[in-house]
Amino acid sequence: LACRPKVCYNQFGTVTGRLTTKKNSFPILTMPRSFRKSITPHNDLFVELDFNGAEIRTLLGLLGREQPTKDIHQYHMDEVFERSLDRASAKQAFFAWLYGSKKHTSSLEGKKLDAFYSKKDLLDQYYNNGTVRTPYKKEIKNTSKHHALNYLIQSTTAELVLKQSLKINHYLCSKDSESFLAFIIHDAVILDLKNEDLKYLEAVQHLMASTNFGNFNINIKKGKTLGDLRFG
């Protein structure tokens, strides 16, 4: 309650460029979800556009793979784990593998992911002499090989979200609309929208989905408060 009613992001608060907020900023990235119902739009509703499996799709894109049209964790269930895991377990196995968990990298699931995704190809292209260089030209120095893939994927995804946000912001400004981009929360973009501007939502969804790494699936939620976002 003592902070300013304004979100001030820090693009340089983490080594990967994943957003944090500045001191005395409204803590949109860290506040408990139970508080989100207290956040209401200036206009008629909030609309959230969220990538389906942003980091996994970034990984696929970096490898030059085609983006699956299905849910990304269902894709792993079918293509990597041959339906031996449920969705929650497939999601957990992937992120444990990406973040370098020793327990999971040596597991059967980790070995299947190693066979499906070529870490070597990515590290040969984007990692040299302890420095990760992303497709957006960001350099992350003094990086161990153990963290290199994780940093590459996290950083590229963070910058991709910022790029898509700028595209959407420019589009809304071009419509001379009172609707605006309210927040970026990790891999999601939150719009503060007037009801009359819902006609622009299809175009905004297209802008969000169209990336350097193919078309990403987008989840859309709407609500009268930030804590009441629902599909549909």
Side-chain angles (χ1 to χ4, degrees):
L1 293 175
C3 70
R4 289 186 296 163
K6 179 181 180 181
V7 179
C8 299
Y9 290 107
N10 181 5
Q11 193 179 347
F12 308 101
T14 65
V15 67
T16 61
R18 196 170 176 87
L19 293 179
T20 60
T21 51
K22 296 181 179 180
K23 187 178 180 180
N24 295 325
S25 164
F26 189 81
I28 192 67
L29 299 177
T30 56
M31 67 183 299
R33 284 185 174 272
S34 57
F35 291 178
R36 289 189 180 184
K37 288 188 177 182
S38 66
I39 304 176
T40 57
H42 286 277
N43 293 308
D44 297 305
L45 74 163
F46 284 127
V47 177
E48 178 188 84
L49 297 100
D50 184 26
F51 285 132
N52 170 248
E55 291 183 338
I56 303 173
R57 291 183 181 278
T58 298
L59 174 58
L60 286 166
L62 289 170
L63 287 168
R65 304 268 191 90
E66 186 175 346
Q67 293 294 336
T69 56
K70 65 176 73 172
D71 170 73
I72 200 68
H73 301 295
Q74 182 67 48
Y75 172 75
H76 275 167
M77 289 164 60
D78 295 341
E79 302 297 328
V80 180
F81 303 118
E82 300 170 328
R83 303 189 181 182
S84 62
L85 298 180
D86 60 22
R87 188 181 188 278
S89 299
K91 183 176 181 178
Q92 181 184 32
F94 173 80
F95 285 107
W97 171 83
L98 177 63
Y99 297 146
S101 165
K102 292 181 180 179
K103 175 183 174 182
H104 285 83
T105 51
S106 60
S107 67
L108 176 60
E109 290 79 14
K111 290 175 182 177
K112 286 183 177 181
L113 287 162
D114 276 333
F116 193 78
Y117 293 113
S118 175
K119 286 185 178 181
K120 183 179 183 301
D121 288 349
L122 288 178
L123 295 182
D124 285 347
Q125 184 173 358
Y126 296 107
Y127 179 66
N128 186 44
N129 292 328
T131 298
V132 172
R133 292 179 177 84
T134 76
Y136 293 114
K137 310 303 181 186
K138 180 180 178 64
E139 292 191 355
I140 308 173
K141 298 181 179 180
N142 302 316
T143 302
S144 69
K145 191 172 183 179
H146 178 73
H147 290 111
L149 180 64
N150 178 14
Y151 284 7
L152 171 65
I153 301 303
Q154 275 203 35
S155 180
T156 304
T157 303
E159 294 192 286
L160 174 62
V161 172
L162 290 178
K163 179 178 180 180
Q164 304 309 88
S165 301
L166 288 169
K167 288 162 56 177
I168 292 169
N169 183 68
H170 177 77
Y171 176 80
L172 291 176
C173 289
S174 74
K175 298 302 179 184
D176 201 21
S177 166
E178 293 181 23
S179 298
F180 59 93
L181 195 158
F183 311 112
I184 300 171
I185 304 179
H186 307 305
D187 304 329
V189 175
I190 315 294
L191 307 181
D192 188 320
L193 215 64
K194 295 180 73 69
N195 282 328
E196 63 200 56
D197 291 338
L198 285 168
K199 62 189 176 185
Y200 300 136
L201 193 52
E202 184 177 350
V204 168
Q205 181 179 359
H206 176 75
L207 286 172
M208 182 79 171
S210 302
T211 80
N212 300 83
F213 309 112
N215 287 327
F216 285 18
N217 284 21
I218 303 297
N219 302 316
I220 297 182
K221 295 180 182 178
K222 303 171 187 173
K224 294 293 186 179
T225 78
L226 198 61
D228 290 317
L229 299 175
R230 299 288 184 269
F231 291 107

